Amino acid sequence: MRIVLAEDSLLLREGVAQLLALEGHEIVAGTSNATELLHAVVRHAPDLAIVDVRMPPDFVDEGVHAALRIRRENPGTAVLLLSQVVERRYARELLDGSGGVGYLLKERVSDIRRFLDAIEEVASGGTAFDPEVIRQLLAAGSGPDPRLARLTDRERDVLAHLAQGLSNTSIAQRLYISRSGVEKHINTIFSKLAIPVGGDVNRRVLAVLLYLGAAPG
């Protein structure tokens, strides 16, 4: 896929760029600030933008504001925030009722394969959230959707793993159940949450959005 990478740390930016290039992805632009990022997205129309939250000049929330703008103005570009902090004020707004978005914490990325899988999931229209980001989003929410009360503990575990962008195979390995068992749980989740077949957003994404309190009305 074609990727724009926005990270002010040169060493980290080059390291991630080389990793992605080895996987066959094309880094069409590497930028160090939010202004350059926005210009690069307009110029290259990438499949994915990987964005740090805190960038020059003030290192506050420049990156997340740029990500929100990309979501509004360039819907064809998926966005993955890769940061050291959880910017809770804007994380929920990033979801905006659709997929193609993720939020990973740099210091918690300990599995390269999972990182690469998360990139693929987000670029394909899915979601990939670090468990800590999920925890803080849920804590900051207005309360769980009543439909979630219909789920068993196991089904909630499966849904939490879906929110992390994990494949059915990965979920099966983590929960020590069969892949077919995961698929049955997911279908039951869709049924209990009354998520219809069809539409512009896939059912996995709708389930995750509902879980995080960001489902479209």
Side-chain angles (χ1 to χ4, degrees):
M1 75 183 76
R2 301 171 69 253
I3 299 173
V4 165
L5 179 58
E7 166 61 56
D8 62 281
S9 169
L10 176 62
L11 287 177
L12 181 56
R13 187 171 71 244
E14 290 301 312
V16 173
Q18 290 183 27
L19 171 66
L20 297 176
L22 287 173
E23 290 294 312
H25 302 303
E26 179 185 2
I27 306 301
V28 295
T31 71
S32 61
N33 61 69
T35 300
E36 292 175 356
L37 164 64
L38 293 171
H39 289 321
V41 169
V42 171
R43 179 179 179 182
H44 298 285
D47 302 303
L48 175 69
I50 301 177
V51 185
D52 191 7
V53 167
R54 295 178 175 174
M55 302 181 71
D58 299 320
F59 294 94
V60 180
D61 51 18
E62 294 83 357
V64 73
H65 281 290
L68 287 168
R69 184 170 171 181
I70 292 169
R71 295 280 281 167
R72 291 193 304 269
E73 300 177 5
N74 307 87
T77 297
V79 174
L80 175 66
L81 290 180
L82 183 60
S83 178
Q84 293 179 325
V85 297
V86 179
E87 187 52 77
R88 205 165 61 181
R89 290 174 296 172
Y90 303 108
R92 193 177 298 278
E93 187 178 349
L94 270 172
L95 287 161
D96 74 7
S98 63
V101 62
Y103 199 141
L104 302 180
L105 298 179
K106 293 177 182 178
E107 71 274 15
R108 289 167 59 92
V109 177
S110 58
D111 187 323
I112 296 301
R113 185 69 259 164
R114 282 193 61 195
F115 173 65
L116 295 171
D117 288 345
I119 287 174
E120 296 280 357
E121 180 67 21
V122 171
S124 66
T127 62
F129 285 81
D130 185 278
E132 176 60 20
V133 176
I134 294 173
R135 188 191 68 78
Q136 293 201 30
L137 281 175
L138 293 176
S142 57
D145 188 291
R147 285 172 289 182
L148 294 172
R150 304 170 185 169
L151 304 182
T152 65
D153 289 343
R154 175 61 83 184
E155 289 160 358
R156 291 179 70 90
D157 285 343
V158 170
L159 183 51
H161 283 78
L162 283 181
Q164 296 175 46
L166 298 179
S167 67
N168 290 1
T169 299
S170 295
I171 295 173
Q173 292 171 347
R174 283 173 167 264
L175 297 181
Y176 301 102
I177 57 179
S178 67
R179 191 177 187 279
S180 62
V182 172
E183 293 169 354
K184 290 178 181 177
H185 282 309
I186 291 174
N187 287 330
T188 301
I189 289 169
F190 293 156
S191 177
K192 289 184 177 181
L193 299 183
I195 296 176
V197 178
D200 295 330
V201 182
N202 72 53
R203 302 177 86 193
R204 293 170 78 99
V205 170
L206 285 174
V208 169
L209 294 177
L210 193 151
Y211 175 59
L212 296 177

